[in-house]
Amino acid sequence: MEGITSHVEGLLRIARNVIGNSYSPYSRFKVASVVRTSDGRVFHGVNVENASYGLTVCAERVAIFTAVANGARSVEEILVATETEEPVPPCGACLQVLSEFASSETRIYMASLSSGKVVVKKLSELMPYRFTKKELEQKAKSRNG
Ligand code: THU
């Protein structure tokens, strides 16, 4: 755990600085996410809720989309930070979005800012069987030949 924590210290510092920007008046569940792209840049996001509830966007997607909007195309690692006692994993939608810009080896750090606990998993562990652009390359095969 010690090694993991020192590796993500920089990402954690950013998460601590931005989690207060979380716009979560409905759930009161604050999330911050920090992405390090393959070119070494770092982007952050927080969850942004909406009165319509369903239009809420998770912190991870805000961070990933910000990276992409800044020209990045490859995520090296991503941190998701919460104030819960235990770390929380990214939701399935965020894992799917991450899959577009990540590899099986991409590390996902889950951190509790209150207890200091950090869990790390590879994308392939959290989402072993993923739909990606590779699937789109397979042409539909007509049943009539
Ligand atoms: N949320 C995130 O931002 N990331 C996650 O990984 C899980 C959930 C947000 C969405 C919503 O604003 C709040 O947490 C409660 O679901």
Side-chain angles (χ1 to χ4, degrees), residues 22-24 27-32 46-49 56-61 80 82 88-91 94:
S22 161
Y23 180 72
S24 43
S27 72
R28 309 231 162 252
F29 192 84
K30 292 182 194 294
V31 187
V46 294
N47 53 329
V48 182
E49 300 188 344
T56 290
V57 183
C58 295
E60 296 91 319
R61 270 176 288 159
V80 50
T82 51
V88 308
C91 78
C94 289

Side-chain angles (χ1 to χ4, degrees), residues 75-133:
V75 172
E76 188 73 23
E77 52 192 9
I78 183 168
L79 168 81
V80 50
T82 51
E83 294 172 332
T84 50
E85 175 68 18
E86 296 297 325
V88 308
C91 78
C94 289
L95 289 173
Q96 178 63 29
V97 167
L98 177 64
S99 294
E100 188 72 22
F101 305 104
S103 74
S104 309
E105 298 302 306
T106 298
R107 292 173 301 281
I108 299 168
Y109 295 97
M110 295 154 274
S112 157
L113 298 181
S114 39
S115 69
K117 288 183 197 167
V118 180
V119 173
V120 60
K121 300 275 184 201
K122 295 194 289 186
L123 175 60
S124 58
E125 294 176 275
L126 292 191
M127 207 186 210
Y129 196 49
R130 302 182 292 284
F131 183 84
T132 66
K133 55 189 167 225

Side-chain angles (χ1 to χ4, degrees), residues 8 16 61 134 138:
V8 291
R16 268 188 229 106
R61 270 176 288 159
K134 271 210 320 281
Q138 296 190 58

Side-chain angles (χ1 to χ4, degrees), residues 9-83:
E9 202 47 63
L11 303 185
L12 276 169
R13 200 175 320 115
I14 296 168
R16 268 188 229 106
N17 284 338
V18 302
I19 197 163
N21 296 336
S22 161
Y23 180 72
S24 43
Y26 307 107
S27 72
R28 309 231 162 252
F29 192 84
K30 292 182 194 294
V31 187
S33 179
V34 187
V35 158
R36 194 193 309 277
T37 55
S38 302
D39 55 15
R41 291 184 292 162
V42 170
F43 301 94
H44 68 262
V46 294
N47 53 329
V48 182
E49 300 188 344
N50 189 272
S52 73
Y53 286 30
L55 290 179
T56 290
V57 183
C58 295
E60 296 91 319
R61 270 176 288 159
V62 174
I64 294 165
F65 291 155
T66 300
V68 172
N70 280 279
R73 291 292 182 270
S74 174
V75 172
E76 188 73 23
E77 52 192 9
I78 183 168
L79 168 81
V80 50
T82 51
E83 294 172 332

